[in-house]
Amino acid sequence: MRPVGSGPATDRRTRVADALRRLAPRLPEFESEATVDRALLSPGLRNAAPETAARLALLAYARHVFTEYDDLLADGYDRDSARHFVLDELNAVLTGWGAAPIPEDAPDAGEDPAEL
């Protein structure tokens, strides 16, 4: 018999949270919970491997919460231009959390789960 609260959703949460801890070991707990929630709620990440879901959710969370990305979009910049302008700021946040930065020559500088 399974304990209450266990099952596929709980197992997926645990796997994504574990992957996120490996990817961003200095990510504060509050930010970690918000990132895991984003990964689990995104339809585009529903079937992604836990590591992929964790990385893409981390990128999207940091981009939307810790950069001027949304303001640039609201000002009329297209997605690629907005991503270009916030890349240094995003990478500073990621490296502060112990995560790998996005290379400048990355084709899309990381997919946004909200757009998957």
Side-chain angles (χ1 to χ4, degrees):
M1 180 183 229
R2 285 185 167 205
V4 174
S6 68
T10 303
D11 293 344
R12 173 108 173 122
R13 176 175 270 291
T14 299
R15 289 192 309 274
V16 171
D18 289 346
L20 186 58
R21 274 190 289 282
R22 289 189 299 276
L23 291 169
R26 294 189 302 269
L27 183 65
E29 185 61 31
F30 171 79
E31 313 299 356
S32 178
E33 289 297 318
T35 302
V36 171
D37 288 345
R38 180 180 281 267
L40 296 177
L41 294 173
S42 172
L45 297 178
R46 187 166 290 135
N47 295 315
E51 293 77 14
T52 301
R55 175 70 178 173
L56 293 178
L58 180 68
L59 294 177
Y61 181 75
R63 183 181 289 125
H64 288 282
V65 175
F66 292 94
T67 74
E68 300 298 319
Y69 179 72
D70 292 324
D71 293 335
L72 291 170
L73 292 177
D75 287 344
Y77 287 88
D78 64 80
R79 186 180 79 163
D80 291 336
S81 296
R83 287 180 179 197
H84 170 76
F85 289 123
V86 302
L87 185 60
D88 289 341
E89 190 178 6
L90 176 59
N91 280 338
V93 171
L94 293 172
T95 57
W97 291 337
I102 299 170
E104 252 185 77
D105 60 352
D108 193 3
E111 285 298 323
D112 189 338
E115 300 169 6
L116 293 176

